[in-house]
Amino acid sequence: MIAIIDYDAGNIRSVINALERIGVKDYALTADETMIRGSDRVILPGVGDASAAMKSLRERGLDSVVPTLKQPVLGICVGMQLMCLGSEEGNVRCMGIFPTEVRKFDAAPDLKVPHMGWNALRRPCGPLFDGIPDGAFVYFVHSYYASVCEATAAQCMHGVPFSAALSAGNFFGVQFHPEKSGPAGERILRNFCKL
Amino acid sequence: MVAKRIIPCLDVRDGRTVKGVNFVGLKDVGDAVELGAKYAAEGADELVYLDISATVEGRRTFTSLVSEIAARINIPFTVGGGISSLEDAARLLDAGADKISINSAALKRPELISEIASHYGSQFVVLAVDALCRDGRWVATTHGGRVLTDRELFEWTHEGQERGAGELLFTSMDHDGTGKGYPCETFAELSERLSIPIIASGGAGSVKDIADVLTVGKADAALAASIFHYGEIPIPVLKRELFNMNINVRL
């Protein structure tokens, strides 16, 4: 069973729709610690403001649960950012699973913020990206980014290079939205379901 | 760098018809979903569905159509048409829309932009502006260009950005439906004045028109309806040609 963490952090509907499209039927939307611990895989979605999302996770006591999980965990977008050390968005300390900070993109004449649209993955590596070639396009919507670090599993460029994906042990995070990234995104979700 | 986006636009009336499409087999709700799925499979980067229903019943049907689209389509989609309150936006978000576009209601009550953006984030709010150029001054309009407002384009779009709109969808009513291209200088000026992405709409008649607005006009995306609906320029052909012109597109 895949536990999708329910912590009132934006629209999880699209994640559920994407799982159904790839034929996953055994999933549950939950904030229950026992249920999360007992699942085979965990997805931490997230849209919106990182500090509000972190607060919401903390209120449910889940900020201390997620880092201790042993099964594969996938953070998506703000879900991934919450797995980093901290974010400039509301100056919030996060769960510290990935050794990197989340910063805001500086808008410039040729650099739109939010970074919105399809961008190419550079050097995707690891089991999450099995079958995903260098240069594959995925869909991003974000104004804050995780800096490149030793846990970076794929890079992307938007004025600066940043972490499009992170991985450390059983923990995976993607800044882009696999649930909105066409066939490439579906492949990545399928790969996660096979881990 | 982020790729330039190609966005087909589908008009939906009373949940059943797709406006401006005069070939058979596109008459009911299912077909609006099918057409979107076809465009997605052909390489569309996003989709826009506009509800042009005139009735309450039509709006209700549109919401259930949005749920069907969300279940079926694996790329982002925006919905617009008749959104005039935070409740309207919430209903469409719950149905699975990735973004909503607001137009007349924002001109009437600009706070609507801030309200939706602060609740659901700027990434959820597309400000759509239909403008006309009169005596060298671009003016925002309502009712499909028939009613002029007192808002000047650059000033209004800047306010929209400051209020939290995450993207601008700009249509020149002087060019819409002509197939003669976009006002590229105006797009370039918008792009210089704003920091949010700009979607160019209305006027595309050829691959060159689209290439021009994405390069000279510095637009981030191009939206079109008839050239795709009538099969004049299939999406894979368009994207391949743009790619061959050294424009960064997702193939």
Side-chain angles (χ1 to χ4, degrees):
Chain A
M1 190 267 287
I2 299 181
I4 304 165
I5 299 185
D6 181 11
Y7 67 117
D8 197 24
N11 191 6
I12 29 74
R13 177 69 188 271
S14 57
V15 174
I16 292 174
N17 281 334
L19 290 176
E20 297 214 332
R21 278 197 296 273
I22 63 167
V24 174
K25 292 186 178 66
D26 194 15
Y27 61 82
L29 192 57
T30 178
D32 180 71
E33 182 182 341
T34 313
M35 205 161 164
I36 292 170
R37 288 200 186 280
S39 66
D40 303 316
R41 283 168 198 81
V42 176
I43 293 178
L44 180 64
V47 177
D49 182 272
S51 61
M54 195 60 210
K55 182 167 172 273
S56 188
L57 202 61
R58 226 179 264 129
E59 281 167 1
R60 288 160 177 78
L62 296 174
D63 59 316
S64 54
V65 172
V66 174
T68 63
L69 293 173
K70 302 287 178 245
Q71 64 272 57
V73 178
L74 177 65
I76 299 176
C77 194
V78 170
M80 180 206 85
Q81 295 181 357
L82 300 188
M83 293 159 80
C84 297
L85 294 169
S87 172
E88 273 184 7
E89 191 172 21
N91 278 320
V92 66
R93 297 323 295 162
C94 298
M95 291 186 281
I97 295 166
F98 302 125
T100 184
E101 295 285 341
V102 177
R103 300 188 169 90
K104 182 152 199 199
F105 283 117
D106 290 320
D110 284 318
L111 198 72
K112 300 292 177 77
V113 177
H115 171 226
M116 181 182 284
W118 299 80
N119 206 335
L121 293 174
R122 296 294 171 211
R123 296 191 294 281
C125 59
L128 201 59
F129 294 105
D130 181 38
I132 302 293
D134 188 41
F137 279 93
V138 289
Y139 189 81
F140 292 86
V141 186
H142 60 127
S143 297
Y144 292 80
Y145 67 94
S147 306
V148 173
C149 66
E150 63 265 33
T152 299
Q155 288 194 28
C156 186
M157 259 315 266
H158 187 58
V160 290
F162 68 91
S163 294
L166 292 156
S167 80
N170 58 314
F171 293 97
F172 301 84
V174 289
Q175 178 61 67
F176 56 90
H177 289 273
E179 73 278 18
K180 289 288 163 184
S181 294
E186 287 177 353
R187 176 66 190 254
I188 291 163
L189 286 175
R190 272 200 194 94
N191 288 342
F192 177 69
C193 293
K194 282 189 215 151
L195 291 173
Chain B
M1 288 298 288
V2 67
K4 301 286 187 181
R5 287 170 282 156
I6 298 301
I7 309 176
C9 179
L10 294 89
D11 289 358
V12 178
R13 184 186 294 140
D14 300 330
R16 289 203 300 275
T17 52
V18 179
K19 193 194 109 185
V21 182
N22 65 354
F23 49 91
V24 288
L26 286 167
K27 282 179 184 162
D28 59 28
V29 180
D31 290 327
V33 179
E34 289 306 319
L35 186 57
K38 174 178 165 273
Y39 287 147
E42 286 179 351
D45 296 304
E46 289 185 38
L47 299 173
V48 170
Y49 282 90
L50 286 182
D51 182 17
I52 54 165
S53 303
T55 63
V56 175
E57 185 53 38
R59 299 238 178 279
R60 213 169 289 137
T61 317
F62 185 69
T63 307
S64 62
L65 176 69
V66 170
S67 304
E68 280 182 56
I69 296 163
R72 178 73 187 276
I73 308 285
N74 61 10
I75 59 170
F77 70 99
T78 302
V79 297
I83 298 165
S84 59
S85 66
L86 186 61
E87 292 70 36
D88 289 338
R91 179 171 46 83
L92 294 164
L93 177 89
D94 289 342
D98 296 294
K99 313 176 196 180
I100 50 110
S101 79
I102 49 176
N103 191 334
S104 307
L107 281 162
K108 206 168 162 189
R109 206 171 64 80
E111 299 77 26
L112 181 63
I113 303 170
S114 337
E115 287 167 14
I116 302 176
S118 66
H119 266 81
Y120 303 114
S122 290
Q123 84 292 333
F124 185 60
V125 186
V126 180
L127 176 64
V129 179
D130 300 333
L132 281 169
C133 190
R134 287 294 170 267
D135 305 320
R137 183 172 182 265
W138 283 94
V139 184
T141 69
T142 60
H143 302 79
R146 279 173 287 135
V147 179
L148 271 68
T149 69
D150 58 359
R151 301 305 302 262
E152 190 271 333
L153 173 70
F154 298 109
E155 165 264 326
W156 168 232
T157 52
H158 188 263
E159 178 178 340
Q161 171 180 291
E162 296 309 299
R163 285 188 177 276
E167 264 182 305
L168 172 68
L169 169 58
F170 169 51
T171 308
S172 160
M173 300 310 286
D174 294 324
H175 297 74
D176 194 35
T178 64
K180 288 180 179 166
Y182 303 87
C184 288
E185 281 176 20
T186 309
F187 274 102
E189 189 170 351
L190 275 171
S191 189
E192 274 157 31
R193 287 174 180 240
L194 301 176
S195 61
I196 55 175
I198 295 166
I199 305 165
S201 156
S206 67
V207 174
K208 187 178 178 299
D209 292 338
I210 292 175
D212 284 348
V213 82
L214 295 175
T215 53
V216 182
K218 299 182 182 173
D220 300 280
L223 175 142
S226 52
I227 59 164
F228 301 134
H229 296 335
Y230 296 120
E232 289 164 19
I233 308 175
I235 292 169
V237 173
L238 170 63
K239 293 187 88 174
R240 174 58 63 183
E241 289 192 26
L242 292 173
F243 182 82
N244 290 341
M245 294 160 102
N246 285 322
I247 295 171
N248 180 21
V249 289
R250 176 182 71 112
L251 288 182

